[in-house]
Amino acid sequence: MIKDDNIMEYHEDEIHPKQTATERDKAGHVWDMSQERVFIENLLSQRFNFFLVFFSLVVAGAINAKLQYQLQIILGIGSLICALLASTLERSQEKLDLILSDLFADETHPASIIDRRASKGGSRRRIIGFLIPRLCCALLMLGFILSLFNIFHAPK
């Protein structure tokens, strides 16, 4: 339908017709699940690297704190920000897991073929998305709590 001097108005069904994931993947010229997997894996990787850099900066700041209140502030704010960053990692990991489960459902997809040929111990990718961020956040939170009770002291 045309509206106001050559400005086109589209309905959602005209732009994105309802297709199954398999039909969309077969079309080739549209964004498919394999491309989404690559995008999410790169996003997860970049977020994880940023998380590690930030965690390292918090630890370095805590080690170099001269006064107890500085140590408490660094560990408190650092653990809060790390927890927020960890939540973005977990969400990206969750999306990646959903994408991979869809790809693995297609027995002819290369990801599915390689997954069947890989060792039977299961995927370890959740270590990056869940385990390491939670462990880092727990360590910072423990340091913060111990510094509040003056069990963990800033160097004098």
Side-chain angles (χ1 to χ4, degrees), residues 56-72:
S56 299
L57 288 173
V58 172
V59 170
I63 289 171
N64 290 310
K66 303 294 182 211
L67 302 170
Q68 189 66 18
Y69 80 90
Q70 291 174 338
L71 177 66
Q72 293 168 348

Side-chain angles (χ1 to χ4, degrees), residues 21-156:
T22 305
E23 291 170 339
R24 225 178 9 256
D25 286 349
K26 288 179 181 176
H29 64 280
V30 296
W31 191 262
D32 65 5
M33 290 299 264
S34 293
Q35 291 169 321
E36 184 68 12
R37 177 193 59 82
V38 170
F39 173 75
I40 292 294
E41 283 180 339
N42 285 330
L43 184 65
L44 179 62
S45 174
Q46 291 169 355
R47 286 179 176 177
F48 182 71
N49 289 337
F50 182 79
F51 177 85
L52 289 179
V53 168
F54 185 80
F55 174 76
S56 299
L57 288 173
V58 172
V59 170
I63 289 171
N64 290 310
K66 303 294 182 211
L67 302 170
Q68 189 66 18
Y69 80 90
Q70 291 174 338
L71 177 66
Q72 293 168 348
I73 290 171
I74 290 169
L75 289 174
I77 293 174
S79 62
L80 176 65
I81 293 172
C82 274
L84 294 172
L85 292 173
S87 71
T88 65
L89 282 169
E90 289 181 8
R91 178 72 173 154
S92 296
Q93 182 65 57
E94 179 184 3
K95 287 181 179 183
L96 179 61
D97 290 343
L98 290 171
I99 291 167
L100 288 173
S101 68
D102 283 353
L103 293 178
F104 292 161
D106 178 3
E107 293 186 9
T108 63
H109 194 278
S112 177
I113 294 168
I114 294 300
D115 187 58
R116 285 192 306 271
R117 292 177 58 196
S119 66
K120 301 300 177 204
S123 175
R124 290 153 192 91
R125 69 182 173 274
R126 304 187 109 223
I127 293 172
I128 290 174
F130 293 104
L131 182 64
I132 292 174
R134 288 179 182 179
L135 182 62
C136 291
C137 290
L139 289 172
L140 290 180
M141 187 57 71
L142 178 64
F144 175 62
I145 291 169
L146 292 176
S147 71
L148 284 177
F149 291 106
N150 289 322
I151 297 171
F152 181 53
H153 297 284
K156 295 184 180 190

